[in-house]
Amino acid sequence: MKKMKWGKPMGRLVEKEQILLAYYVCNFLEKNDKNADELGEVLTKALGDNLTSIQEALNNKGLLSDHDQMITNEGILYIDNILHIQSDAVERNKLAYVKDNLLTYEIELSVPEIKEYIHKHIGIE
């Protein structure tokens, strides 16, 4: 039996994917200004002047919305795909899937502030 190969090898997400993952995590947290503000602060601290150009690049690919700088359905599907999360997974369990897959595939997050934010909200100590 041939072993199936899925997408790109796991191990490291590029910076834009890490940022998109942070938006993904925020999307599945309780919707309130505190959570949105926290994400904004983390991204500004992590990326400084580069944040605007990265957001524009994600907007141009349709992964972030122009008007509210939140992840789009296409962005959610993109993250679901790279983390091997089934698209029919129950929304309230998405963060548990993120945690499981980051640990299972030993995915490294190289931007410290983003790593801390994601780990905090998905329950990785």
Side-chain angles (χ1 to χ4, degrees):
M1 188 169 167
K2 220 177 182 184
K3 191 173 183 181
M4 291 183 78
K5 192 171 185 180
W6 296 97
K8 62 183 174 186
M10 302 306 280
R12 171 171 260 174
L13 299 178
V14 297
E15 187 176 67
K16 286 180 186 170
E17 291 170 333
Q18 293 176 56
I19 294 161
L20 192 61
L21 180 57
Y23 279 105
Y24 181 96
V25 167
C26 184
N27 183 70
F28 291 106
L29 296 174
E30 182 180 336
K31 304 277 188 264
N32 61 43
D33 290 342
K34 180 179 163 264
N35 285 331
D37 290 347
E38 180 187 9
L39 176 61
E41 288 172 20
V42 166
L43 293 176
T44 300
K45 184 178 175 187
L47 305 164
D49 296 338
N50 294 330
L51 179 58
T52 303
S53 64
I54 292 170
Q55 286 173 327
E56 285 174 11
L58 293 170
N59 284 339
N60 291 339
K61 289 186 175 184
L63 303 175
L64 279 187
S65 70
D66 287 334
H67 69 281
D68 63 0
Q69 290 301 316
M70 290 310 291
I71 194 167
T72 62
N73 285 336
E74 291 80 12
I76 290 170
L77 291 173
Y78 183 89
I79 293 294
D80 284 349
N81 185 44
I82 62 174
L83 291 183
H84 306 300
I85 297 172
Q86 298 300 316
S87 59
D88 62 351
V90 180
E91 278 197 16
R92 68 179 184 275
N93 293 335
K94 290 272 191 160
L95 296 180
Y97 285 108
V98 171
K99 177 182 178 178
D100 290 346
N101 290 352
L102 286 180
L103 294 171
T104 300
Y105 297 110
E106 299 178 354
I107 297 172
E108 181 183 334
L109 301 173
S110 61
V111 182
E113 296 87 352
I114 293 174
K115 177 181 180 177
E116 182 180 317
Y117 172 84
I118 291 170
H119 283 194
K120 171 184 161 186
H121 288 292
I122 64 173
I124 294 177
E125 307 263 325

